[in-house]
Each structure stands twice: as structure tokens, then as C-alpha cells.
């Protein structure tokens, strides 16, 4: 839900600057040009935060604050004073009246966002859209490590993605970069001098724009003490060195809520496909299961009833894939969705090792599976190409899988 | 009027200190709010404003009494307004917006000075800003113990910004 912010200032210029500062956040801005209007708007809208000027005509900020704090319904609304008057006496007077914070004019928009972000939960508008990012989208990853080779290794390792890796060699440079152009994820070396990596993390978490950005710490694999400290501090995770690029990629994908379903799921001519290739690790099956239930439900809602699982390019797999297949088949059966599975000899041999699914039928090619589902004759070259027993999977629920 | 040797009449700040304080306040306000660097010109400069100009002013009254005036040309006022609002100068159509922006800049510079005076025992209150507009007028202070006229040259603008301060403190 959008955060409601009321700006009370007699200067339209300042009200516009305040509104512009919050433009990239999920906020609803209300304006008033003096204290009387401000109290009326506050009573009507019940804002989450009031940004209040002091020197105003009709009713100044000090009097407005006094009235707000004497009204039981408005008293809990946090107030940040925005004033050109920074004198000690003035600050003490308003502080005693129960303000959350104050900002002295002239001010930078970032300063306003930072202070407001300590009072209300500011959500970047782009955060709401993050869930729909896919692997085809360019995301920016800030790497702060005093060893440029690390940034370079990550950039090279992720060069098969459209991701942009931005390396910085000091905490100060990292903070400057993150505040001027908010990255989608941040990696910080925890071995920067003087605990600078941890300090940078705290700074970034205190800064509204980067508060919700996933931040990973990086340290050597054997430094368990630092890893533990990072977890306690609140890092999104720890990447150990030497860096396993594939593991890093998966962690970043999850942290950035990137939709990876296109890696595995596709649709063509009213048939839903799940295609797996290479070594199917538990990470991969975990990814698949993240989307599986939703995909099957979407099929049922759309009146689709054909599903092909293509394992023909799988080179290795283990129990997790068997569990996923059983889940998939059972879920499809419940919704009368017909499933065919395409596999090669390697898959077939391995499947046979699992008693519960050893009698599943595998089609030798996609064309064959499509023909079966569409009620068409099998392609001539595949007439006798089923790679296992003749019994069809359709309508047959496997027992619960267990490793044999 | 106070002399220029640094022996002003206020115990809070002499003329050199007042000049330095205002220079910092003006450069801070322009740098932060207008995203514009301004440079103080030599005190002997003859640079002045020609034609239509706007003067933003705020007054303060109490143990210190006085006023701060910011003089700019109308064209530069539009440029300032555009910079503050993230618009091009020719997109700034409404003169009320221009006056508001100039008034706010005066308020910030005046507020800075007022706070400094208050922190040094000269408590006073600040007025809301006002704007004077025209091409042929002079502003003179009556009974001011100290006054300063500073001329700034803004980057990327063929004009000057004149800041005048008059004040008298209770001794």
C-alpha cells in the first residue's frame, strides 16, 4: 500500500521538490500551504508522515505541530520539520514538541528520502515490478571488493547473462555508486580494511533507496567467524571464495526475484512443456517446483490438458528430480491433464533404478509425445522407438518415490 | 555603516565574518537547491543588474533586526526556478512560481543568518519572504549598524546575483 506523505509548506517550490523526491517510491503525496490547511488534510487523510515547514503565514509550523500533538487522533503521526532555521534554540523547542527528525534547508532530496525512510517504509516503485524481471532483463550488480580480480571474475562468469557488473574497490566508492544509481543487488567483500564492508552494509540499510536491495557478503570459505557475523548482521547471504559462479548466479536470481520459469517452461500449440537439460541438480528441481503448481493451475484455468516433460537432453539426475516428476504427474492427474515424458537411454536406465516409476513410458522424441497427445499417428521414424515398457503414464499415479 | 576592515559593530560577527558567513550560505543554497556553483566577485566589482529584476527579501526582528535581499534578473530567476523544479527555463511560464522560488532562496539564506544570530544570543524571528519586482528602484536601510553587499557570478549564466544584508543588533 502506498505510503501517505503530507508536505506542509507555504512555498510551492518546496512542495514540488518534496513531491519529486518521493516520485520513485510508492507514495501518495498530499500538499498544504499553511498549518490550518495542513491540519485539515492530516485529519482527512491520516498520512503516515508529515513534512512540516516552520515559517508559514496563517499558522506557522510550531503552532501547527502543537495542535497536531494535542489532538489524540493526529498525535501519533510522525512529523519531520523542514526548516531554514537551524538555530539551537529553535531546534530544541521543536524537538521537545515531539518531532521525529528535522532537516535544515538547503537540503538534498537524498537527505529527505533518507530521513523519511527511517520513519516510514519506503518501497521503490521498481521493487513492485521486480517480481516480473526475467533472465532476459538487464540488471545491475554492484561488487565492492578491494581486489579488482574478484569483480572481473564475476563479470566473466556471468558474461552469458545480460547482467551488468559494476566493480568498485572501496566502501566509499561503493556507497557513492549505490546512492547515485541504485543497483539490483550488491556484493561486498567482508575483508575490506577496518570492517568497512560491515559499515557499508549498515549505511546501505539505513539509506531508503538501498534498504530493500539484496546485499551479499563475500569472504573466504574457511572464515566461518566472518560468515557467522555477516548472517547475524543481516546480510542476504554470504558468498564464499573461491566463488562458485553457478551457485552465485542462483543466489542472485532468487534474491532479485527474477522469474526463471522461461528457463524450464514453455508453451506451444496448446501444449505446456517442461524442458530440463544437463545435470539436473536439487537447485534446478527446486527452481522448477517454485513454478510448477502455478503452471499446472494456469493450464487448468485456461482449459489446457496436455503436458510434455522433455528429459531427452538430461545427462544426470538423482532423487530430487524423481520427486518432482511424481509431484508433477500426481498434480496433473488431479486436474485431468495428460502428461507425456520424453527421454533418452541414460534417463531410462536411471529411472528404472527407482522402483516407483520404473514402469513409466518414455517417448523417444518430442514429435512422438506430441503425436500421442494430439491423437495423431506416431512419426514413421519413431514407430518403435519407445525407450521403455509399453504402459502409458497417462492415468497412472506413481507411488511415492524413494531412492533405491 | 561598518567599515570593510573587519571591525564591524556587532559583537556577534565583524564585517569579514559576516561576509564569509554569507558567502558560505549563498554558495550552499545555490549549490544544493539550484545545482549551480556561484563565485564571489571582488568587493570592488562594478558588476550590476540591468533591466527588469526581482528582489527576494526576508526580514528578521528581535534582539537583531534587519533584512536579507537577493537581487536577480528576471531571466536568471526563471533559470533558477527551472533548475529547482527540474524544468527548462522556457518551460517556467508562471511568474508566481518564479517569485516563489526566489522567495524560498531568500528564506534559506535569511534563515541561515537568523539561526546564526540566534545561536549567538541575538534571538529574533524571521518573516515570510516577499518579492519586489521592477527595473528602477533602490533599497536603502535606515539605521542599520552593519551592511554587506556581495556580488556573485553564477556558472553558466551571463549575469550576477547580488546579496545585500542590513542589520542592527542590541548591544
Amino acid at each position: 500500500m502506498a505510503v501517505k506523505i503530507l508536505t506542509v509548506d507555504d512555498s510551492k517550490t518546496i512542495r514540488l521538490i518534496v513531491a519529486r523526491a518521493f516520485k520513485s517510491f510508492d507514495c501518495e503525496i498530499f500538499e498544504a500551504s499553511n498549518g490550518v490547511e495542513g491540519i485539515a488534510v492530516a485529519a482527512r487523510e491520516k498520512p503516515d508522515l508529515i513534512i512540516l515547514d516552520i515559517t508559514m503565514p496563517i499558522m506557522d509550523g510550531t503552532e501547527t505541530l502543537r495542535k497536531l500533538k494535542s489532538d489524540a487522533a493526529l498525535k501519533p503521526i510522525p512529523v519531520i520539520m523542514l526548516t531554514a532555521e537551524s538555530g539551537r534554540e529553535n531546534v530544541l523547542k521543536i524537538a521537545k514538541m515531539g518531532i521525529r527528525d528535522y532537516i535544515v534547508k538547503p537540503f538534498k532530496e537524498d537527505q529527505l528520502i533518507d530521513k523519511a525512510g527511517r520513519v516510514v517504509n519506503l518501497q521503490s516503485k521498481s521493487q513492485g515490478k521486480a517480481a516480473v524481471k526475467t533472465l532476459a532483463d538487464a540488471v545491475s550488480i554492484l561488487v565492492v571488493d578491494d581486489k579488482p580480480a574478484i569483480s572481473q571474475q564475476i563479470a566473466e562468469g556471468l558474461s552469458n547473462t545480460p547482467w551488468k557488473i559494476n566493480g568498485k574497490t572501496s566502501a566509499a566508492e561503493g556507497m557513492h555508486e549505490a546512492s547515485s544509481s541504485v543497483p539490483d543487488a550488491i556484493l561486498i567483500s567482508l575483508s575490506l580494511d577496518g570492517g568497512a564492508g560491515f559499515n557499508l552494509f549498515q549505511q546501505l540499510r539505513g539509506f531508503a533507496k538501498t534498504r530493500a536491495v539484496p546485499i551479499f557478503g563475500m569472504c573466504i570459505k574457511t572464515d566461518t567467524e566472518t560468515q557467522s557475523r555477516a548472517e547475524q548482521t543481516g546480510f542476504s547471504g554470504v558468498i564464499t571464495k573461491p566463488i562458485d559462479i553457478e551457485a552465485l548466479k542462483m543466489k542472485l536470481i532468487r534474491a532479485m526475484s527474477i522469474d526463471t520459469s522461461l528457463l524450464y517452461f514453455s508453451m506451444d500449440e496448446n501444449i505446456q512443456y517442461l524442458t530440463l537439460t544437463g545435470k539436473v541438480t536439487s537447485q534446478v528441481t527446486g527452481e522448477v517446483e517454485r513454478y510448477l503448481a502455478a503452471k499446472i493451475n494456469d493450464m487448468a484455468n485456461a482449459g489446457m490438458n496436455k503436458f510434455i516433460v522433455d528429459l531427452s537432453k538430461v545427462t544426470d539426475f538423482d532423487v530430487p528430480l524423481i520427486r518432482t516428476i511424481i509431484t508433477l504427474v500426481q498434480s496433473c492427474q488431479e486436474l485431468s491433464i495428460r502428461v507425456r515424458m520424453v527421454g533418452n537411454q541414460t534417463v531410462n536406465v536411471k529411472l528404472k533404478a527407482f522402483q516407483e516409476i520404473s514402469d513409466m513410458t518414455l517417448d523417444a522424441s518430442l514429435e512422438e509425445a506430441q503425436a500421442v497427445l494430439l491423437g495423431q499417428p506416431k512419426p514413421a521414424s519413431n514407430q518403435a522407438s519407445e525407450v521403455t515398457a509399453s504402459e502409458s503414464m497417462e492415468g497412472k499415479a506413481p507411488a511415492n518415490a524413494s531412492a533405491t | 555603516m561598518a567599515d570593510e576592515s573587519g571591525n564591524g559593530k556587532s559583537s556577534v560577527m565583524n564585517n569579514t565574518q559576516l561576509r564569509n558567513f554569507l558567502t558560505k550560505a549563498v554558495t550552499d543554497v545555490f549549490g544544493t537547491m539550484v545545482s549551480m556553483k556561484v563565485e564571489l566577485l571582488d568587493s570592488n566589482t562594478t558588476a550590476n543588474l540591468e533591466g527588469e529584476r526581482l528582489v527576494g527579501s526576508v526580514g528578521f526582528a528581535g534582539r537583531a533586526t534587519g533584512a536579507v535581499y537577493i537581487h536577480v534578473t528576471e531571466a536568471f530567476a526563471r533559470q533558477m526556478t527551472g533548475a529547482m523544479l527540474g524544468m527548462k527555463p522556457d518551460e517556467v511560464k508562471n511568474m508566481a512560481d518564479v517569485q516563489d522560488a526566489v522567495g524560498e532562496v531568500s528564506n534559506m539564506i535569511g534563515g541561515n543568518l537568523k539561526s546564526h544570530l540566534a545561536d549567538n544570543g541575538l534571538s529574533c524571528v524571521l518573516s515570510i519572504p516577499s518579492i519586489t519586482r521592477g527595473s528602477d528602484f533602490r533599497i536603502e536601510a535606515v539605521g542599520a549598524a552593519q551592511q554587506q553587499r556581495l556580488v556573485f557570478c553564477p556558472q553558466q549564466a551571463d549575469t550576477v546575483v547580488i546579496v545585500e544584508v542590513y542589520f542592527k543588533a542590541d548591544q
Side-chain angles (χ1 to χ4, degrees):
Chain A
M1 203 166 90
V3 173
K4 289 182 171 183
I5 296 176
L6 168 61
T7 167
V8 187
D9 201 305
D10 60 325
S11 166
K12 183 182 172 189
T13 306
I14 295 298
R15 297 199 304 272
L16 287 171
I17 290 171
V18 169
R20 187 178 62 191
F22 290 103
K23 199 175 163 187
S24 58
F25 295 92
D26 188 15
C27 294
E28 197 176 355
I29 305 292
F30 299 91
E31 296 183 22
S33 61
N34 60 62
V36 173
E37 277 181 27
I39 288 170
V41 178
R44 188 180 70 232
E45 300 295 342
K46 297 287 188 300
D48 301 294
L49 173 65
I50 298 174
I51 296 168
L52 183 61
D53 183 24
I54 289 188
T55 310
M56 293 185 289
I58 303 176
M59 183 190 287
D60 69 15
T62 310
E63 179 64 8
T64 307
L65 183 62
R66 197 185 62 74
K67 286 194 180 298
L68 286 168
K69 293 303 172 190
S70 62
D71 184 319
L74 305 179
K75 189 178 178 180
I77 301 173
V79 175
I80 292 178
M81 299 299 279
L82 185 56
T83 175
E85 300 177 45
S86 59
R88 280 191 298 271
E89 189 186 341
N90 193 49
V91 169
L92 279 173
K93 186 170 78 176
I94 57 175
K96 282 180 188 168
M97 293 174 75
I99 58 162
R100 272 301 180 86
D101 213 331
Y102 71 95
I103 297 170
V104 178
K105 297 175 186 174
F107 63 101
K108 287 188 181 297
E109 289 179 20
D110 282 350
Q111 198 185 348
L112 174 61
I113 294 300
D114 186 33
K115 296 219 173 191
R118 293 175 194 206
V119 180
V120 291
N121 185 19
L122 292 176
Q123 295 281 330
S124 164
K125 280 181 180 167
S126 60
Q127 276 174 239
K129 294 172 188 166
V132 296
K133 271 188 178 156
T134 72
L135 280 172
D137 291 319
V139 297
S140 68
I141 296 165
L142 173 63
V143 181
V144 184
D145 198 308
D146 51 358
K147 297 165 193 70
I150 295 294
S151 305
Q152 200 178 337
Q153 184 204 351
I154 293 171
E156 285 170 6
L158 297 174
S159 60
N160 59 347
T161 69
W163 300 356
K164 185 187 167 209
I165 311 301
N166 191 359
K168 296 291 169 191
T169 53
S170 71
E173 283 180 26
M175 187 65 209
H176 181 261
E177 179 63 26
S179 55
S180 53
S181 174
V182 180
D184 296 285
I186 303 171
L187 307 177
I188 303 173
S189 169
L190 299 177
S191 55
L192 295 177
D193 283 347
F198 286 94
N199 293 339
L200 175 59
F201 172 82
Q202 298 292 5
Q203 275 183 288
L204 290 165
R205 280 291 174 259
F207 186 53
K209 282 184 177 176
T210 52
R211 180 165 296 163
V213 175
I215 304 176
F216 290 88
M218 296 187 291
C219 67
I220 60 170
K221 202 170 188 174
T222 51
D223 190 357
T224 52
E225 194 179 322
T226 300
Q227 290 171 36
S228 170
R229 187 180 160 202
E231 280 162 11
Q232 286 168 7
T233 307
F235 277 83
S236 308
V238 177
I239 308 298
T240 55
K241 297 177 185 175
I243 295 172
D244 175 342
I245 291 292
E246 277 310 305
L248 169 66
K249 186 177 169 183
M250 293 308 287
K251 282 185 179 181
L252 287 170
I253 283 171
R254 285 192 182 167
M256 294 188 287
S257 300
I258 288 177
D259 181 356
T260 52
S261 63
L262 290 177
L263 275 181
Y264 313 109
F265 294 92
S266 58
M267 201 180 295
D268 190 27
E269 293 185 5
N270 230 21
I271 299 176
Q272 174 72 60
Y273 293 87
L274 166 60
T275 307
L276 298 172
T277 57
K279 184 179 179 181
V280 181
T281 62
S282 58
Q283 275 181 329
V284 171
T285 53
E287 284 287 296
V288 169
E289 288 187 7
R290 270 177 63 196
Y291 304 108
L292 192 57
K295 291 286 177 192
I296 292 172
N297 287 342
D298 287 350
M299 286 177 69
N301 284 330
M304 291 172 60
N305 65 349
K306 301 176 189 71
F307 201 132
I308 293 177
V309 181
D310 183 1
L311 305 177
S312 59
K313 293 194 178 71
V314 168
T315 55
D316 195 12
F317 66 92
D318 216 326
V319 180
L321 176 60
I322 302 302
R323 290 190 195 285
T324 304
I325 290 172
I326 290 170
T327 303
L328 186 154
V329 172
Q330 287 177 335
S331 302
C332 287
Q333 281 177 345
E334 285 169 12
L335 295 168
S336 302
I337 294 170
R338 299 163 65 201
V339 183
R340 298 296 297 184
M341 200 168 302
V342 180
N344 53 28
Q345 282 299 339
T346 308
V347 173
N348 183 37
V349 169
K350 195 115 188 194
L351 282 180
K352 280 187 173 174
F354 294 87
Q355 190 183 349
E356 295 84 349
I357 52 171
S358 59
D359 56 352
M360 278 186 179
T361 301
L362 292 183
D363 295 312
S365 68
L366 271 181
E367 292 77 16
E368 190 177 311
Q370 288 161 349
V372 172
L373 287 176
L374 297 170
Q376 297 167 350
K378 288 184 181 179
S381 59
N382 293 322
Q383 283 293 336
S385 60
E386 283 185 354
V387 291
T388 186
S390 57
E391 210 172 350
S392 168
M393 234 171 28
E394 292 176 39
K396 180 174 181 178
N400 287 336
S402 61
T404 55
Chain B
M1 189 195 298
D3 64 24
E4 290 293 326
S5 64
N7 299 318
K9 293 179 180 175
S10 165
S11 60
V12 173
M13 58 174 105
N14 60 36
N15 278 329
T16 302
Q17 289 167 330
L18 176 60
R19 189 177 185 84
N20 291 342
F21 182 89
L22 285 171
T23 302
K24 183 175 185 315
V26 172
T27 50
D28 278 356
V29 169
F30 274 82
T32 308
M33 304 305 295
V34 194
S35 305
M36 192 182 285
K37 195 173 173 185
V38 294
E39 194 177 324
L40 180 65
L41 297 181
D42 186 89
S43 55
N44 296 320
T45 182
T46 55
N48 213 332
L49 295 172
E50 302 288 335
E52 189 84 358
R53 64 189 154 127
L54 269 74
V55 182
S57 62
V58 288
F60 46 93
R63 293 201 60 208
T65 302
V68 176
Y69 298 91
I70 315 293
H71 303 245
V72 290
T73 62
E74 190 180 311
F76 183 68
R78 283 185 190 279
Q79 192 177 335
M80 278 172 61
T81 308
M84 290 175 84
L85 300 180
M87 300 160 72
K88 291 177 184 168
D90 58 3
E91 291 173 335
V92 181
K93 306 286 185 199
N94 193 340
M95 182 47 74
D97 291 346
V98 177
Q99 293 178 353
D100 187 84
V102 174
E104 194 52 36
V105 167
S106 317
N107 178 48
M108 289 182 208
I109 295 167
N112 263 253
L113 178 60
K114 179 260 180 190
S115 299
H116 183 76
L117 294 171
D119 281 348
N120 287 281
L122 297 175
S123 60
C124 48
V125 291
L126 198 66
S127 75
I128 58 170
S130 62
I131 296 288
T132 307
R133 189 178 166 203
S135 57
D136 187 17
F137 60 91
R138 289 176 60 184
I139 294 172
E140 292 182 355
V142 178
Q146 278 182 268
Q147 70 178 61
Q148 279 289 336
R149 181 178 188 271
L150 287 81
V151 182
F152 294 86
C153 176
Q155 258 184 356
Q156 298 167 331
D158 186 21
T159 184
V160 291
V161 175
I162 298 172
V163 177
E164 289 178 327
V165 174
Y166 305 90
F167 86 93
K168 181 174 75 176
D170 280 358
Q171 299 298 314

PDB file of all heavy atoms in Angstrom, chain B residues 97-110:
ATOM      1  N   ASP B  97       5.397  31.187  -9.805  1.00  0.00           N
ATOM      2  CA  ASP B  97       6.364  30.128  -9.472  1.00  0.00           C
ATOM      3  C   ASP B  97       7.765  30.708  -9.343  1.00  0.00           C
ATOM      4  O   ASP B  97       8.547  30.310  -8.475  1.00  0.00           O
ATOM      5  CB  ASP B  97       6.361  29.036 -10.555  1.00  0.00           C
ATOM      6  CG  ASP B  97       5.072  28.235 -10.563  1.00  0.00           C
ATOM      7  OD1 ASP B  97       4.302  28.345  -9.584  1.00  0.00           O
ATOM      8  OD2 ASP B  97       4.823  27.519 -11.551  1.00  0.00           O
ATOM      9  N   VAL B  98       8.086  31.640 -10.241  1.00  0.00           N
ATOM     10  CA  VAL B  98       9.409  32.280 -10.214  1.00  0.00           C
ATOM     11  C   VAL B  98       9.575  33.061  -8.907  1.00  0.00           C
ATOM     12  O   VAL B  98      10.602  32.969  -8.222  1.00  0.00           O
ATOM     13  CB  VAL B  98       9.576  33.224 -11.429  1.00  0.00           C
ATOM     14  CG1 VAL B  98      10.912  33.946 -11.377  1.00  0.00           C
ATOM     15  CG2 VAL B  98       9.442  32.444 -12.738  1.00  0.00           C
ATOM     16  N   GLN B  99       8.540  33.803  -8.567  1.00  0.00           N
ATOM     17  CA  GLN B  99       8.599  34.605  -7.338  1.00  0.00           C
ATOM     18  C   GLN B  99       8.725  33.694  -6.113  1.00  0.00           C
ATOM     19  O   GLN B  99       9.458  33.987  -5.167  1.00  0.00           O
ATOM     20  CB  GLN B  99       7.362  35.492  -7.238  1.00  0.00           C
ATOM     21  CG  GLN B  99       7.348  36.560  -8.324  1.00  0.00           C
ATOM     22  CD  GLN B  99       6.097  37.428  -8.296  1.00  0.00           C
ATOM     23  OE1 GLN B  99       5.165  37.158  -7.548  1.00  0.00           O
ATOM     24  NE2 GLN B  99       6.072  38.452  -9.117  1.00  0.00           N
ATOM     25  N   ASP B 100       8.013  32.598  -6.158  1.00  0.00           N
ATOM     26  CA  ASP B 100       8.067  31.653  -5.036  1.00  0.00           C
ATOM     27  C   ASP B 100       9.475  31.088  -4.875  1.00  0.00           C
ATOM     28  O   ASP B 100      10.007  30.985  -3.765  1.00  0.00           O
ATOM     29  CB  ASP B 100       7.065  30.513  -5.275  1.00  0.00           C
ATOM     30  CG  ASP B 100       6.953  29.592  -4.083  1.00  0.00           C
ATOM     31  OD1 ASP B 100       6.190  29.920  -3.158  1.00  0.00           O
ATOM     32  OD2 ASP B 100       7.642  28.557  -4.056  1.00  0.00           O
ATOM     33  N   ALA B 101      10.086  30.720  -6.002  1.00  0.00           N
ATOM     34  CA  ALA B 101      11.432  30.125  -5.945  1.00  0.00           C
ATOM     35  C   ALA B 101      12.448  31.143  -5.425  1.00  0.00           C
ATOM     36  O   ALA B 101      13.287  30.827  -4.567  1.00  0.00           O
ATOM     37  CB  ALA B 101      11.833  29.614  -7.325  1.00  0.00           C
ATOM     38  N   VAL B 102      12.368  32.375  -5.929  1.00  0.00           N
ATOM     39  CA  VAL B 102      13.306  33.409  -5.466  1.00  0.00           C
ATOM     40  C   VAL B 102      13.068  33.692  -3.973  1.00  0.00           C
ATOM     41  O   VAL B 102      14.015  33.838  -3.182  1.00  0.00           O
ATOM     42  CB  VAL B 102      13.161  34.698  -6.312  1.00  0.00           C
ATOM     43  CG1 VAL B 102      14.017  35.822  -5.738  1.00  0.00           C
ATOM     44  CG2 VAL B 102      13.555  34.428  -7.764  1.00  0.00           C
ATOM     45  N   GLY B 103      11.801  33.736  -3.608  1.00  0.00           N
ATOM     46  CA  GLY B 103      11.457  33.948  -2.200  1.00  0.00           C
ATOM     47  C   GLY B 103      12.025  32.844  -1.321  1.00  0.00           C
ATOM     48  O   GLY B 103      12.544  33.094  -0.229  1.00  0.00           O
ATOM     49  N   GLU B 104      11.962  31.619  -1.792  1.00  0.00           N
ATOM     50  CA  GLU B 104      12.446  30.493  -0.996  1.00  0.00           C
ATOM     51  C   GLU B 104      13.965  30.534  -0.839  1.00  0.00           C
ATOM     52  O   GLU B 104      14.497  30.227   0.222  1.00  0.00           O
ATOM     53  CB  GLU B 104      11.992  29.174  -1.639  1.00  0.00           C
ATOM     54  CG  GLU B 104      12.131  27.971  -0.751  1.00  0.00           C
ATOM     55  CD  GLU B 104      11.500  28.104   0.631  1.00  0.00           C
ATOM     56  OE1 GLU B 104      10.434  28.751   0.752  1.00  0.00           O
ATOM     57  OE2 GLU B 104      12.081  27.598   1.606  1.00  0.00           O
ATOM     58  N   VAL B 105      14.641  30.943  -1.902  1.00  0.00           N
ATOM     59  CA  VAL B 105      16.109  31.084  -1.801  1.00  0.00           C
ATOM     60  C   VAL B 105      16.452  32.164  -0.771  1.00  0.00           C
ATOM     61  O   VAL B 105      17.348  31.997   0.066  1.00  0.00           O
ATOM     62  CB  VAL B 105      16.710  31.405  -3.191  1.00  0.00           C
ATOM     63  CG1 VAL B 105      18.153  31.875  -3.073  1.00  0.00           C
ATOM     64  CG2 VAL B 105      16.627  30.177  -4.098  1.00  0.00           C
ATOM     65  N   SER B 106      15.705  33.259  -0.784  1.00  0.00           N
ATOM     66  CA  SER B 106      15.921  34.328   0.206  1.00  0.00           C
ATOM     67  C   SER B 106      15.662  33.800   1.611  1.00  0.00           C
ATOM     68  O   SER B 106      16.405  34.090   2.555  1.00  0.00           O
ATOM     69  CB  SER B 106      14.967  35.505  -0.039  1.00  0.00           C
ATOM     70  OG  SER B 106      14.887  35.802  -1.386  1.00  0.00           O
ATOM     71  N   ASN B 107      14.610  33.013   1.733  1.00  0.00           N
ATOM     72  CA  ASN B 107      14.231  32.456   3.027  1.00  0.00           C
ATOM     73  C   ASN B 107      15.347  31.565   3.589  1.00  0.00           C
ATOM     74  O   ASN B 107      15.660  31.614   4.775  1.00  0.00           O
ATOM     75  CB  ASN B 107      12.932  31.662   2.864  1.00  0.00           C
ATOM     76  CG  ASN B 107      12.486  31.006   4.148  1.00  0.00           C
ATOM     77  OD1 ASN B 107      12.446  31.656   5.188  1.00  0.00           O
ATOM     78  ND2 ASN B 107      12.168  29.733   4.080  1.00  0.00           N
ATOM     79  N   MET B 108      15.953  30.779   2.711  1.00  0.00           N
ATOM     80  CA  MET B 108      17.008  29.879   3.183  1.00  0.00           C
ATOM     81  C   MET B 108      18.252  30.656   3.613  1.00  0.00           C
ATOM     82  O   MET B 108      18.859  30.352   4.636  1.00  0.00           O
ATOM     83  CB  MET B 108      17.370  28.886   2.079  1.00  0.00           C
ATOM     84  CG  MET B 108      16.284  27.856   1.838  1.00  0.00           C
ATOM     85  SD  MET B 108      16.817  26.700   0.581  1.00  0.00           S
ATOM     86  CE  MET B 108      15.247  26.220  -0.092  1.00  0.00           C
ATOM     87  N   ILE B 109      18.619  31.647   2.820  1.00  0.00           N
ATOM     88  CA  ILE B 109      19.806  32.438   3.176  1.00  0.00           C
ATOM     89  C   ILE B 109      19.514  33.262   4.442  1.00  0.00           C
ATOM     90  O   ILE B 109      20.319  33.297   5.376  1.00  0.00           O
ATOM     91  CB  ILE B 109      20.231  33.334   1.994  1.00  0.00           C
ATOM     92  CG1 ILE B 109      20.674  32.442   0.820  1.00  0.00           C
ATOM     93  CG2 ILE B 109      21.372  34.281   2.399  1.00  0.00           C
ATOM     94  CD1 ILE B 109      20.825  33.165  -0.507  1.00  0.00           C
ATOM     95  N   GLY B 110      18.344  33.868   4.477  1.00  0.00           N
ATOM     96  CA  GLY B 110      17.947  34.644   5.662  1.00  0.00           C
ATOM     97  C   GLY B 110      17.822  33.751   6.893  1.00  0.00           C
ATOM     98  O   GLY B 110      18.227  34.126   7.997  1.00  0.00           O
TER      99      GLY B 110
END
